[in-house]
Amino acid sequence: MSPAICRFNSLKKPAGRALKINVLLKGKKMFDKELIKLIGGNRKYVIYVVLLMILGMLGNIGITASICWAVYLLIEGAEALTYIYPAICAVVAIIVRYAASRCTGDFKDVLGRRVKKDLRERTYDKILKLGVRSTDGMSMAGLTQVSMEGIEQLDLYYSAYLPQFFYSMIAPLILFFICVGIDWRTSLVLLACVPLIPVSIVAVSKYAKKVFAKYWGKYTSMGDGFLDSVQGLKELKIFDADDARHKKMNENAEEFRKITMKVLVMQLASTTIMDLVAFGGAGAGIALSVVGLMNGWLQPAAALFLILVAVEFFLPLRSLGSAFHVAMNGASAGKKIIALLASEEPVWGESELKCARLALENVTFSYDGKRDALKNVTMNFPQRGMTAIVGRSGCGKSTVVNMLTGARRPNEGNVLAGGDDIKTLSRQSYYSHIASVSYNTYIFNDTVRANFELAKKDVSDGEIWSALDKVNLSDFIRENGGLEKVITEDANNVSGGQKQRLALAVNLVADKDVYIFDEATSNIDIESEAVIMKNVVEMSREKSVIVISHRLENVVPADNIYYMENGEVRESGTHASLMERGGGYAKLYAAQKELEEGYKSYAGAPLKTAAEVRA
């Protein structure tokens, strides 16, 4: 039995996946140029795979032709010796078919591995190039899913779907030119029926578009919810809200199940329609071949060849339909990867930083292009001394930090370092002079020593212990395993205050010229806050120290204080001068002082029993 006959029988099996009309009618939906650009130099492997698939098809045609040749010789009553020629052709065609199949599989494997490797490297490099700037609009769970499973889906898109897409466009045309010389009528009928496969499922194309648009979004949303629930499990238990959260997760899972079932229903409907068209198209070609045989315009061997080859016209598009679901997932993931790779990177130059004297010069910035987070802000940060930035929540303090760390670039104005715009400086040179300690400074899941070595590769044990002494952590570390003590994920085996002090100690050994403390004392105990602020003040004698704090008592020793409101600098000066002025800073300081004094009075009052309180 020839491979063509086997393939005709295989039409009776479920196709597995569906193909929607937009594959052919709207190539930009399924053949996205942006996705093609992602694979870069690996495009040559797609060409190799397509050429090998065509060679394999020609091998199949050769086997079928050899069988028909043998039938022709049999009808003609040829000598037995002449059968050796179709036999030799069949053997050669079988070898070609086998070699092409093996090489196709090998090149697909190479293409998939190279694409995954290149995309993972590009994704990771992009995240590094974004630097201290976060990836906007993408959660950690979403970023992980896109960079891992999303790339896996793209691997299948490139190695399975894309070659099949080109092959399914070329194969019917090649078959037509082969068959048209035998009988143009049958060839035209077969070729005309091929486009009916995508056209036949136009009824489900809009439905398919909506389903696949939601599928990946539901998937990443479910991942976000799961990660969020796991990270907040302690709070859920404390508030006895874990059962409600459990129900919500079940609802998300049910929504994903429903969208998955919709995908399967759409596939089944499309497959059924495609089966009918494929059977009908192949049947029409076979029927016309039989008519030609009966009316005498076709010889028996020629009619047999057309009958056996008829199914080959439809198999490529059927295989393309099988890869449709994978292609849609890959395309959805690819869009997210493209969005990540297209994220605007902070602009850097190649110059070396000569002087770590930072300044903002008439800086205006907006996150959304509508409301200005900073409005014509000018600030100067001397090489030595302590400069504070204060104000109510939302006044623009954190945006100033984003400007100074290079996470953002101003829409107008300049961020200067030693008189030079920082975008003219090399990233390595700039960051080699700057350290940032915030309320959420990350401590890695590694030993204490390894965390210090991140800041300074050749740091000595003496330097580490000296830094730990300064932040009153040396005794705790010695009593709990020394420098080989492993800090668990998210520093869960130390207190919040110890984590902040450890972060400060790590930055102390880095010995930078500029230290930015962004709410570094938020949500920690009074002892840790006092230790950190003592080191900040001492550090300001030799370094440029920039402090952002809600608690104004911490910035009283500052050499200069910038008070901000609504993205603007409203006042600046020392604590004493600002208090004398009696402006916004003085009012905010007085309000905080009153609250603190009231709390102290309340905390110092003798405790009443519950009965006394109720009375």
Side-chain angles (χ1 to χ4, degrees), residues 89-145:
C89 290
V91 170
V92 172
I94 290 171
I95 293 173
V96 169
R97 173 61 181 165
Y98 174 77
S101 297
R102 288 294 301 270
C103 292
T104 298
D106 291 342
F107 275 111
K108 282 185 176 181
D109 181 60
V110 171
L111 174 61
R113 285 189 286 107
R114 284 179 176 268
V115 165
K116 284 192 292 186
K117 180 176 179 291
D118 289 352
L119 284 180
R120 287 203 172 109
E121 287 181 352
R122 290 177 64 185
T123 301
Y124 183 67
D125 288 344
K126 181 65 179 185
I127 294 172
L128 291 181
K129 287 178 180 178
L130 289 173
V132 294
R133 176 180 175 180
S134 62
T135 52
D136 297 335
M138 191 172 293
S139 67
M140 186 56 64
L143 182 62
T144 302
Q145 285 174 308

Side-chain angles (χ1 to χ4, degrees), residues 66-335:
S66 299
I67 293 172
C68 295
W69 188 3
V71 171
Y72 170 77
L73 293 176
L74 180 63
I75 294 173
E76 295 295 321
E79 297 180 1
L81 188 62
T82 57
Y83 286 93
I84 193 172
Y85 299 113
I88 291 173
C89 290
V91 170
V92 172
I94 290 171
I95 293 173
V96 169
R97 173 61 181 165
Y98 174 77
S101 297
R102 288 294 301 270
C103 292
T104 298
D106 291 342
F107 275 111
K108 282 185 176 181
D109 181 60
V110 171
L111 174 61
R113 285 189 286 107
R114 284 179 176 268
V115 165
K116 284 192 292 186
K117 180 176 179 291
D118 289 352
L119 284 180
R120 287 203 172 109
E121 287 181 352
R122 290 177 64 185
T123 301
Y124 183 67
D125 288 344
K126 181 65 179 185
I127 294 172
L128 291 181
K129 287 178 180 178
L130 289 173
V132 294
R133 176 180 175 180
S134 62
T135 52
D136 297 335
M138 191 172 293
S139 67
M140 186 56 64
L143 182 62
T144 302
Q145 285 174 308
V146 166
S147 59
M148 297 300 292
E149 189 167 351
I151 290 177
E152 289 291 338
Q153 293 289 347
L154 269 179
D155 163 25
L156 296 172
Y157 176 88
Y158 291 125
S159 63
Y161 172 78
L162 200 58
Q164 189 63 40
F165 177 86
F166 290 112
Y167 174 64
S168 65
M169 300 297 106
I170 298 171
L173 295 175
I174 294 176
L175 288 169
F176 172 77
F177 286 116
I178 291 174
C179 296
V180 72
I182 299 173
D183 182 37
W184 63 269
R185 303 172 187 83
T186 305
S187 301
L188 279 176
V189 168
L190 290 171
L191 184 65
C193 289
V194 169
L196 293 179
I197 292 180
V199 171
S200 64
I201 58 172
V202 66
V204 296
S205 63
K206 293 182 179 180
Y207 177 68
K209 180 181 178 181
K210 292 178 181 178
V211 169
F212 281 111
K214 294 178 180 178
Y215 183 82
W216 187 263
K218 291 286 185 183
Y219 181 59
T220 54
S221 177
M222 187 172 64
D224 291 343
F226 178 76
L227 180 62
D228 198 35
S229 299
V230 171
Q231 290 179 329
L233 190 58
K234 180 178 67 175
E235 285 73 16
L236 292 174
K237 287 291 185 183
I238 290 173
F239 294 117
D240 196 22
D242 51 323
D243 187 56
R245 191 70 175 186
H246 180 218
K247 290 179 180 178
K248 185 176 180 181
M249 289 178 65
N250 284 342
E251 290 173 1
N252 291 338
E254 179 64 14
E255 288 179 3
F256 181 68
R257 185 192 69 80
K258 288 180 179 179
I259 196 70
T260 302
M261 294 307 297
K262 286 182 179 180
V263 169
L264 295 177
V265 168
M266 181 272 300
Q267 292 168 356
L268 182 60
S270 299
T271 299
T272 302
I273 296 172
M274 194 161 53
D275 280 340
L276 293 174
V277 175
F279 277 121
I286 292 171
L288 193 58
S289 298
V290 172
V291 170
L293 177 62
M294 294 176 62
N295 290 335
W297 77 64
L298 280 178
Q299 295 297 319
L304 178 62
F305 179 80
L306 292 174
I307 290 171
L308 296 179
V309 168
V311 70
E312 294 280 356
F313 277 83
F314 303 95
L315 285 176
L317 277 171
R318 286 299 307 277
S319 298
L320 184 65
S322 300
F324 174 70
H325 178 59
V326 169
M328 286 292 90
N329 273 338
S332 298
K335 290 295 183 182

Side-chain angles (χ1 to χ4, degrees), residues 385-390 521 529 533-534 536-537 540 545-562 573-579 585-586 588-590 592-593 596:
M386 177 178 171
T387 305
I389 305 172
V390 299
T521 60
E529 182 180 32
M533 290 312 302
K534 177 185 176 183
V536 167
V537 173
S540 67
V545 176
I546 303 168
V547 177
I548 291 86
S549 178
H550 278 94
R551 189 162 184 264
L552 301 188
E553 192 65 37
N554 289 332
V555 303
V556 170
D559 299 297
N560 188 34
I561 301 171
Y562 289 103
T574 63
H575 170 76
S577 65
L578 292 176
M579 292 301 293
Y585 174 85
L588 183 61
Y589 181 85
Q592 281 193 9
K593 201 71 173 174
E596 290 178 4

Side-chain angles (χ1 to χ4, degrees), residues 360 365 367 373-374 395-404 408:
L360 299 185
F365 176 77
Y367 287 99
L374 296 179
C395 68
K397 302 187 299 294
S398 295
T399 306
V400 171
V401 173
N402 285 336
M403 295 292 157
L404 295 176
R408 298 283 182 176

Side-chain angles (χ1 to χ4, degrees), residues 43-53 104 107:
R43 278 177 283 190
K44 62 183 179 182
Y45 292 104
V46 176
I47 298 173
Y48 297 157
V49 171
V50 173
L51 292 176
L52 287 168
M53 292 173 75
T104 298
F107 275 111

Side-chain angles (χ1 to χ4, degrees), residues 243-516:
D243 187 56
R245 191 70 175 186
H246 180 218
K247 290 179 180 178
K248 185 176 180 181
M249 289 178 65
N250 284 342
E251 290 173 1
N252 291 338
E254 179 64 14
E255 288 179 3
F256 181 68
R257 185 192 69 80
K258 288 180 179 179
I259 196 70
T260 302
M261 294 307 297
K262 286 182 179 180
V263 169
L264 295 177
V265 168
M266 181 272 300
Q267 292 168 356
L268 182 60
S270 299
T271 299
T272 302
I273 296 172
M274 194 161 53
D275 280 340
L276 293 174
V277 175
F279 277 121
I286 292 171
L288 193 58
S289 298
V290 172
V291 170
L293 177 62
M294 294 176 62
N295 290 335
W297 77 64
L298 280 178
Q299 295 297 319
L304 178 62
F305 179 80
L306 292 174
I307 290 171
L308 296 179
V309 168
V311 70
E312 294 280 356
F313 277 83
F314 303 95
L315 285 176
L317 277 171
R318 286 299 307 277
S319 298
L320 184 65
S322 300
F324 174 70
H325 178 59
V326 169
M328 286 292 90
N329 273 338
S332 298
K335 290 295 183 182
K336 291 182 178 292
I337 293 173
I338 289 171
L340 173 62
L341 296 178
S343 298
E344 184 181 356
E345 301 171 11
V347 179
W348 296 97
E350 298 180 357
S351 302
E352 294 295 315
L353 179 62
K354 300 175 182 177
C355 174
R357 186 180 66 255
L358 304 186
L360 299 185
E361 185 180 78
N362 302 320
V363 168
T364 297
F365 176 77
S366 173
Y367 287 99
D368 56 10
K370 298 177 182 179
R371 175 183 173 277
D372 288 334
L374 296 179
K375 304 173 186 176
N376 199 35
V377 171
T378 296
M379 294 180 176
N380 288 290
F381 306 96
Q383 284 184 272
R384 291 181 179 81
M386 177 178 171
T387 305
I389 305 172
V390 299
R392 301 180 189 277
S393 295
C395 68
K397 302 187 299 294
S398 295
T399 306
V400 171
V401 173
N402 285 336
M403 295 292 157
L404 295 176
T405 57
R408 298 283 182 176
R409 292 288 188 263
N411 301 129
E412 298 177 14
N414 301 289
V415 181
L416 306 176
D420 299 321
D421 197 311
I422 65 169
K423 64 185 178 184
T424 66
L425 305 172
S426 76
R427 184 204 305 266
Q428 293 78 8
S429 175
Y430 187 68
Y431 285 146
S432 67
H433 293 270
I434 292 179
S436 178
V437 183
S438 69
Y439 62 92
N440 62 348
T441 297
Y442 197 81
I443 302 296
F444 287 88
N445 179 198
D446 210 332
T447 63
V448 172
R449 177 183 280 109
N451 273 280
F452 276 91
E453 288 174 345
L454 287 173
K456 185 179 180 181
K457 292 182 180 180
D458 57 348
V459 64
S460 66
D461 287 2
E463 289 176 298
I464 296 176
W465 287 117
S466 175
L468 291 172
D469 279 333
K470 290 180 179 179
V471 297
N472 290 358
L473 268 184
S474 57
D475 291 340
F476 171 77
I477 297 298
R478 284 192 176 95
E479 293 168 2
N480 290 273
L483 299 183
E484 297 307 315
K485 173 183 172 60
V486 175
I487 306 298
T488 57
E489 185 180 2
D490 202 26
N492 282 324
N493 60 341
V494 296
S495 70
Q498 289 169 334
K499 174 186 174 182
Q500 289 298 88
R501 282 187 277 161
L502 181 58
L504 174 59
V506 169
N507 279 276
L508 287 176
V509 302
D511 193 26
K512 300 296 182 75
D513 296 317
V514 180
Y515 283 85
I516 302 172

